[in-house]
Amino acid sequence: DEAIKDVAGTADATAGALSAAEFRRKTTVVAMDALYFRNEQRPYASQFQATWIRRELDKALVAFQPRDAAGDGGDDSGVCGGKVAPWIATGNWGCGAFGGDPILKAVIQIVAAAEAGRNLKYLTFGDEALSKNIGELYGVMCDGDDGEGCTVRQLWLALEQFRLSRESRFAPVGGEELRSFLLGLQWSNLRPGHGQGSGAGVGGGSSAMVSSAHGQERRVAHGSIVVSDDEEVDRGVDEGPDSVGSKRAR
């Protein structure tokens, strides 16, 4: 057995075989609470309102910060102790019993990871269609209108201005409508306060992340993302950010 740089423990030839626990990958487990969208106060459709999108964005951003905050120079660079912070492995956060929409939650977490300067491994646990849809969306975010990719601010404006149709408010298909909206968006035309969809408004406000200097200019494609429909966290991550299923920032 030989220890590698990203696992705990070191090999000792005189100690004999080490237990598997001594070679666990160094990880930090973070629990972040999602909002519940299955009651009269917050039904399914309400999660597409800017108020609740903003709450989930800020929650994810805080959760995705490097553990050693003092090591990043205070500039949200995603650098921890002089090294790039580890990948984030996540998935359909709050999309089970809590009623979250998988497409919306994926977009929220991609934006939060970009603003935190972290690479992301997104696991859909066997859902090939969802994996494909998220990967397609991320490709659009990486390209933008000019091939340089959209900024965090632009994506927030898009989420803020999205209007869920009346039909989608009563069935869990809002994510597909959001996906179509983002795929056909002209990012350069986005302006604060100018909605582009139909139906009821989503409210105003601004997320804490897009109020910062970073949020104004940081590209959503700041890092890399691997979208996978398997359940193996290490697959793709160990292959590096240019592995199949990922898109690298330009």
Side-chain angles (χ1 to χ4, degrees):
D1 290 339
E2 181 179 354
I4 56 176
K5 61 183 179 181
D6 59 350
V7 298
T10 57
D12 185 345
T14 64
L18 298 177
S19 67
E22 294 180 82
F23 284 93
R24 288 176 181 164
R25 182 178 295 277
K26 292 180 180 178
T27 58
T28 299
V29 177
V30 178
M32 54 181 183
D33 61 302
L35 290 173
Y36 187 77
F37 293 106
R38 286 185 181 272
N39 54 30
E40 292 183 1
Q41 290 74 30
R42 282 198 301 267
Y44 167 81
S46 65
Q47 64 189 291
F48 293 91
Q49 296 175 0
T51 298
W52 304 125
I53 293 176
R54 182 173 65 245
R55 186 273 186 189
E56 302 290 63
L57 273 170
D58 290 339
K59 173 69 71 169
L61 176 63
V62 171
F64 289 172
Q65 292 298 312
R67 183 177 61 175
D68 184 9
D72 69 359
D75 61 359
D76 298 325
S77 63
V79 175
C80 183
K83 299 179 180 179
V84 177
W87 286 68
I88 296 168
T90 187
N92 301 329
W93 169 47
C95 296
F98 279 33
D101 185 272
I103 292 291
L104 176 59
K105 279 298 201 295
V107 172
I108 286 172
Q109 292 182 90
I110 288 170
V111 176
E115 181 62 11
R118 304 289 294 277
N119 295 325
L120 191 71
K121 176 70 182 285
Y122 200 95
L123 303 162
T124 63
F125 291 88
D127 192 330
E128 295 182 12
L130 179 60
S131 180
K132 179 180 178 181
N133 288 340
I134 295 172
E136 183 181 22
L137 268 178
Y138 186 68
V140 169
M141 296 175 197
C142 285
D143 292 337
D145 293 337
D146 55 7
E148 293 298 322
C150 66
T151 64
V152 169
R153 176 177 173 78
Q154 286 175 323
L155 189 48
W156 163 252
L157 290 174
L159 291 171
E160 187 180 37
Q161 295 170 20
F162 171 67
R163 302 295 189 266
L164 193 64
S165 69
R166 185 172 298 277
E167 293 77 13
S168 296
R169 295 170 70 182
F170 300 100
V173 293
E176 286 302 314
E177 192 170 329
L178 174 63
R179 174 175 165 271
S180 297
F181 172 76
L182 294 176
L183 289 176
L185 196 63
Q186 292 294 314
W187 300 99
S188 58
N189 292 338
L190 286 169
R191 297 290 185 277
H194 294 278
Q196 299 190 33
S198 61
V202 296
S206 177
S207 173
M209 70 172 67
V210 298
S211 299
S212 68
H214 280 315
Q216 304 288 329
E217 301 298 334
R218 191 188 288 277
R219 301 283 177 176
V220 173
H222 172 81
S224 298
I225 180 174
V226 174
V227 183
S228 174
D229 57 22
D230 62 48
E231 301 178 12
E232 296 183 25
V233 174
D234 289 346
R235 184 173 297 175
V237 172
D238 286 339
E239 296 168 359
D242 295 314
S243 61
V244 175
S246 67
K247 181 119 181 181
R248 182 70 174 171
R250 292 176 175 81

